[in-house]
Amino acid sequence: MTDELFPFLQPVANVDNGTTLLEQAQQEARQSGDLDAAIAIANQIPSNSDSAEAAQIQVQTWQTTWQQQQDLFNRAKTAFDGKRWYVARDLAFKLPQNPYWDRRADPIYFAAKRKIADLERPAPTPTPHPPRNHLNPH
């Protein structure tokens, strides 16, 4: 009867949603490539959660990985700006395929491929003309 009259006296079970949040953050990172959004989700995990330490390790890994990917993108852009088409294409190709990097790297990748195709296109074969006879111009 006390339970019914005074429900606030019952111990409240703390629900640890850290695992769910960490899974959501990882899914966000994989699908969208938006690490800022993924980190924001991971940072919602309470410090007393069983997943808190794993989340912080994951955030550090993402930050390191993102910096490496950003450096790779910058190198691809620099190569493209320097008309080093093969290097630009190859570096852009190494970036992950997700909406974030696709928006940034695809223009470099496909433009470099077009430039390479133009370079590798064989020169048109000149149309042969009959030899001119200087003695008889007709």
Side-chain angles (χ1 to χ4, degrees), residues 15-41:
V15 177
D16 183 356
N17 65 347
T19 302
T20 303
L21 287 170
L22 183 55
E23 288 171 3
Q24 288 174 354
Q26 290 168 333
Q27 184 175 4
E28 179 71 27
R30 268 192 313 276
Q31 290 181 350
S32 74
D34 184 349
L35 292 186
D36 287 337
I39 289 169
I41 294 169

Side-chain angles (χ1 to χ4, degrees), residues 81-126:
D81 292 344
K83 298 181 181 348
R84 297 188 329 255
W85 313 126
Y86 292 94
V87 173
R89 177 201 61 191
D90 293 349
L91 291 172
F93 182 77
K94 290 179 182 180
L95 286 160
Q97 290 187 333
N98 61 48
Y100 179 80
W101 286 115
D102 289 349
R103 275 191 311 276
R104 300 189 74 205
D106 281 1
I108 292 172
Y109 176 77
F110 289 111
K113 277 185 71 165
R114 284 191 299 277
K115 296 289 189 180
I116 291 168
D118 290 345
L119 288 174
E120 293 178 348
R121 183 174 297 123
T125 306

